[in-house]
Amino acid sequence: MADESFTAGTAHSRLAGEIRRLRNAADLSQSGLGERVGYTRNYVSMAERVGGNLPSQNLVEALDQALGATGQLCALWREAKKEQQARRRQGRVAALARSSSPLSSEGVEDAELSRQAVADDARNAARIARMIASSGTTNEAVDQFDSEIRRIAAAYISRPLVDVFGEIRELRQEVFRLLDNNRIPNQLRDLYLHASRLGGLQAHVSLDLGDYRAADIHAQTAWLYAKLAGHQDMLGWIKALQSLIAYWDDRLEDAVERAREGALFHPRGTTGARLASLEARACAARGDEQGTVAALDVAESARADSTMDEYSGVFTFPAAKQSVYAGTTLLTLKSSPALAKQAIGKSQFALDVYQVAAPADRSAGDIFAARLDLAGAHMVLDDLDATQSYLLPVLAAPQVRRTASIVKRARDIGDRLSSTKYLTTARAKGLRSEIREFCAPPPALPPGAGIVAK
């Protein structure tokens, strides 16, 4: 998705064109230039794309040196950065002017993915859920919703939120309309289950934006619909979702409790492994070593006993994702070289699996999480070279790919790089600066989107 609209005369467009011109003059392919500067071909391609995201300062500095631009590319980047900041200021002013008008339920595909939109959407979902729960309304046959939700759930892990937000919201409004207006009782259970899954997807959107209150509201709404549907597997999955929200909201005791509550539903598929992995990670963050080890063992057993999930994407818990969780758990439990090496094994396994998977099966969030955990583990081993190599691809990610949890992980590494041990290290100083820039904009939002302070 384009960073911002701009004309051919902007510094950003001139930067993209100059990188491409200098590369062609040097008779280098995008892959060849990427190898020379330590980035993949995709990063070079994005840097040359007119209308794409502004590349990171580190990448531009590396390209400037590799192409012998003697500071020209760096100067264009600084100019483009100033233009970008000016556009964002204008966007915030325009957003504030629009914020007095609530989003309508019509034309949702054009709705901006903004924090105000997410908060309003959560309140609207809760209101409609309460109305439906008390009204006993029925519906007509809605088999077509099943395939649509499957498609969106699968796409969620590999596509930016801005690509799926409108689809989720539009589909859920249609489910609500059918629940509200139709009278065929034998179809109610399916529609309630659809509403529950769509509420779960909306909770994930809010979670990835860092709006934990809205995420909780959507999860509670999804819970109500799952109860109305009488679906034990979904109830267990929602408890896992509530545990996940509590974990990132630093409510660690709640995270542990929600995971344990979810296990009581004995959900089929991989949700049992998800619940135990969530419990282990939250126990580690609380310093509960015994609880952590026990939960990790349960997660491994649940994986061995798991059956195929009914839905894929965000509703399943693949082995690679479980390995990411295990790496984070080991790294959180105790800062020791032995555990750091174990964490590296878990995180590297996950990264290797995702990198050879089909593009639609690659979870961008899990890949970033694994890389950040690998960076953190190598810090424990005093290998700053490896830390930087794992960090840079994450820091080069466009803003629409930066979820709140990834930003939080990156900020934690930045804090660790600010310790006395690294304070005077030039490389650590550069990484701290890059991390600050990475964490500055709101996560998962397109630059220039309407943002209302809350």
Side-chain angles (χ1 to χ4, degrees), residues 284 289 328-341 343 376-382 416 421-422:
E289 185 171 352
T328 303
T329 299
L330 293 168
L331 200 57
T332 303
L333 187 59
K334 191 183 297 180
S335 182
S336 72
L339 284 179
K341 290 176 182 177
H378 282 290
M379 284 184 68
V380 176
L381 301 179
D382 293 325
R416 292 163 65 187
K421 181 179 181 179
Y422 299 107

Side-chain angles (χ1 to χ4, degrees), residues 12-312:
H12 188 171
S13 63
R14 285 184 281 124
L15 172 64
E18 190 63 12
I19 292 171
R20 185 169 57 255
R21 186 189 70 78
L22 290 172
R23 177 180 60 78
N24 289 332
D27 196 25
L28 286 169
S29 66
Q30 290 180 338
S31 296
L33 179 56
E35 290 177 5
R36 182 173 293 189
V37 297
Y39 286 78
T40 65
R41 183 197 67 80
N42 285 339
Y43 290 112
V44 177
S45 174
M46 286 189 291
E48 293 183 356
R49 189 178 303 152
V50 175
N53 291 289
L54 184 65
S56 71
Q57 186 175 11
N58 277 355
L59 173 57
V60 172
E61 288 175 351
L63 292 172
D64 190 286
Q65 183 175 357
L67 295 172
T70 63
Q72 179 187 3
L73 296 181
C74 294
L76 280 171
W77 184 90
R78 288 191 294 271
E79 187 179 344
K81 189 69 176 177
K82 290 179 181 177
E83 291 176 349
Q84 181 189 71
Q85 290 168 344
R87 282 191 294 270
R88 287 178 180 173
R89 284 194 295 270
Q90 293 172 357
R92 284 193 288 270
V93 170
L96 286 171
R98 291 192 300 268
S99 64
S100 59
S101 299
L103 283 174
S104 134
S105 62
E106 298 181 0
V108 292
E109 65 275 12
D110 297 323
E112 286 185 327
L113 177 54
S114 69
R115 297 190 184 282
Q116 189 63 50
V118 170
D120 290 346
D121 198 46
R123 288 191 292 272
N124 186 50
R127 179 186 63 79
I128 296 175
R130 289 192 296 270
M131 176 187 69
I132 290 172
S134 63
S135 67
T137 54
T138 56
N139 62 84
E140 61 185 5
V142 287
D143 290 343
Q144 67 270 26
F145 285 109
D146 183 71
S147 59
E148 285 297 298
I149 296 171
R150 288 178 185 275
R151 179 183 59 78
I152 294 171
Y156 191 101
I157 65 171
S158 61
R159 287 167 56 188
L161 293 187
V162 292
D163 288 354
V164 296
F165 171 71
E167 290 183 89
I168 296 168
R169 191 166 182 263
E170 182 179 9
L171 194 61
R172 195 194 60 188
Q173 292 287 356
E174 181 64 14
V175 169
F176 285 168
R177 185 185 66 78
L178 291 177
L179 280 168
D180 193 25
N181 294 331
N182 291 278
R183 297 290 185 275
I184 306 177
N186 65 334
Q187 295 288 328
L188 269 175
R189 181 181 178 277
D190 287 343
L191 272 182
Y192 284 140
L193 189 54
H194 293 332
S196 180
R197 288 198 171 105
L198 288 164
L201 288 168
Q202 287 291 70
H204 264 287
V205 170
S206 301
L207 174 64
D208 285 339
L209 287 173
D211 192 332
Y212 305 120
R213 183 175 181 277
D216 265 328
I217 292 172
H218 279 303
Q220 290 162 12
T221 300
W223 171 266
L224 170 62
Y225 288 130
K227 285 196 73 175
L228 290 170
H231 200 284
Q232 297 293 102
D233 294 343
M234 194 62 192
L235 290 169
W237 184 86
I238 294 168
K239 282 295 180 184
L241 175 59
Q242 290 175 324
S243 175
L244 183 64
I245 295 165
Y247 175 82
W248 288 113
D249 197 24
D250 295 322
R251 295 180 281 116
L252 299 178
E253 185 174 351
D254 285 348
V256 172
E257 288 304 310
R258 298 298 86 75
R260 290 174 177 170
E261 289 169 1
L264 299 177
F265 291 97
H266 304 290
R268 295 168 297 178
T270 59
T271 301
R274 184 195 298 266
L275 286 160
S277 296
L278 285 161
E279 180 183 346
R281 190 171 65 173
C283 282
R286 294 180 67 196
D288 179 0
E289 185 171 352
Q290 184 176 355
T292 300
V293 173
L296 284 174
D297 288 343
V298 172
E300 289 296 329
S301 298
R303 168 64 56 188
D305 296 337
S306 65
T307 56
M308 184 174 294
D309 292 291
E310 185 180 358
Y311 277 56
S312 62

